[in-house]
Amino acid sequence: MRHIEYKTEGVCARSIEFDLDDNNVISNCKFLGGCNGNLKAISKLVEGKKASEISEILKGNTCGPKTTSCADQLSIALLKAING
């Protein structure tokens, strides 16, 4: 089990933490800062899912006029974690 801490860029959440097992399945996803209810929901939805699947779904999601979002930042963090 690997614990990942990712410092976000361009969003309200300051960081994202999650664990990946040897099969790159996500657990214990938590966002620090940001829209509390929405980010708790994302964390619940990604629990037990493959990092590659979730990254593909969330990639490119934007928030208002921003070119990224907390979900997009999670996608980036997951890709970095699985690609080393």
Side-chain angles (χ1 to χ4, degrees):
M1 185 75 67
R2 294 177 290 148
H3 181 73
I4 311 297
E5 295 181 28
Y6 178 78
K7 184 174 173 16
T8 59
E9 296 180 17
V11 296
C12 298
R14 295 181 297 280
S15 65
I16 306 168
E17 295 184 20
F18 55 90
D19 295 327
L20 289 179
D21 70 9
D22 293 339
N23 295 314
N24 289 325
V25 172
I26 305 164
S27 61
N28 303 313
C29 183
K30 296 178 181 114
F31 291 79
L32 178 62
C35 302
N36 189 286
N38 289 334
L39 297 177
K40 281 182 187 175
I42 289 173
S43 295
K44 288 179 180 182
L45 290 169
V46 304
E47 185 76 19
K49 303 287 193 300
K50 296 278 287 182
S52 57
E53 173 190 359
I54 295 301
S55 181
E56 186 63 33
I57 291 168
L58 299 179
K59 179 179 159 186
N61 191 67
T62 60
C63 182
K66 297 176 185 178
T67 59
T68 189
S69 67
C70 292
D72 184 52
Q73 290 291 296
L74 176 57
S75 172
I76 293 166
L78 291 168
L79 278 178
K80 285 186 176 187
I82 59 178
N83 292 327

